[in-house]
Amino acid sequence: MMLYRARPGWRTFRPVVDRLPASMSGALAFGAFAALVAALAVVGELHATWFALGAFAALCALLGAVSRPVAAPLVAGTGWLFLNGFVVHRHATLQWGGAGVEGARLGLFAAAALVLSLPAALPRRRVRVQLLPTPDRVRSTGD
């Protein structure tokens, strides 16, 4: 017996998928952003460019897809700390570049994490579907 969920009024069914809790999402975000900074260093993109900002936003969206919406501020904050400390100002020094610039970066990361985590928070109803066993052989149509 498998459990499926469907939104009220919809006819499509999706398997029940558990999202990561906020604490696990934060730990995963810390490791993922550290790996992204290392990958950007190998490529030579440890500069405050659109490429680095886009890579961080894409990773925020990817982490948001496997996390609950509650974890979006944690993922966004971790991404902002790694971007600010290792890409923008380098050498692990955090500096404040102004409320407009830093707020826009943090807002972009939070929005990217929320966009893919919100569909999991929509209300769904549980539907039980019994799986029928497949026959061992196919019946012939009477050749």
Side-chain angles (χ1 to χ4, degrees):
M1 185 98 48
M2 290 185 67
L3 291 179
Y4 286 83
R5 290 189 184 218
R7 290 192 183 112
W10 288 31
R11 293 181 184 243
T12 57
F13 300 108
R14 293 187 181 192
V16 175
V17 178
D18 289 332
R19 299 291 179 118
L20 294 176
S23 58
M24 191 63 193
S25 296
L28 183 64
F30 189 83
F33 285 119
L36 179 62
V37 167
L40 287 175
V42 169
V43 175
E45 287 292 328
L46 280 181
H47 304 289
T49 60
W50 288 102
F51 181 78
L53 188 66
F56 273 88
L59 186 56
C60 281
L62 182 67
L63 289 170
V66 297
S67 301
R68 295 179 183 162
V70 176
L74 187 61
V75 170
T78 307
W80 177 81
L81 286 173
F82 273 90
L83 178 75
N84 195 355
F86 293 104
V87 177
V88 176
H89 298 296
R90 299 199 187 164
H91 308 296
T93 58
L94 292 175
Q95 295 178 0
W96 188 252
V101 174
E102 303 300 340
R105 288 178 185 153
L106 192 58
L108 172 70
F109 295 160
L114 271 176
V115 163
L116 290 180
S117 68
L118 280 180
L122 291 175
R124 296 179 187 260
R125 58 186 163 89
R126 284 192 175 211
V127 178
R128 289 182 185 211
V129 177
Q130 185 174 1
L131 295 175
L132 299 175
T134 58
D136 293 336
R137 55 191 161 134
V138 178
R139 290 184 177 176
S140 65
T141 57
D143 290 316

